Amino acid sequence: MSPTSSPNQLAYVYAVQQGDFNGAAGISVVLLAVGLLAAGLLIARSNLFKLDEK
């Protein structure tokens, strides 16, 4: 298995093994944006916060 088979592992390799903290931070910000977008879509599509109308 490759040590860079997932984005989290790639960020780890950049930060710890290569010392490229800027690259690791960039990957982390992209992962954060993707996660927030996915969570927002999930909440919006599931009507989780829909108020009951009577």
Side-chain angles (χ1 to χ4, degrees):
M1 181 176 207
S2 173
T4 59
S5 60
S6 76
N8 285 333
Q9 291 174 329
L10 180 61
Y12 175 81
V13 167
Y14 276 8
V16 176
Q17 294 179 358
Q18 296 180 359
D20 184 8
F21 297 109
N22 293 331
I27 292 171
S28 297
V29 169
V30 170
L31 287 174
L32 174 66
V34 169
L36 288 174
L37 179 66
L41 287 173
L42 182 70
I43 289 171
R45 302 276 282 160
S46 68
N47 294 326
L48 183 64
F49 296 110
K50 185 176 181 180
L51 297 175
D52 290 334
E53 296 178 16
K54 293 183 179 183

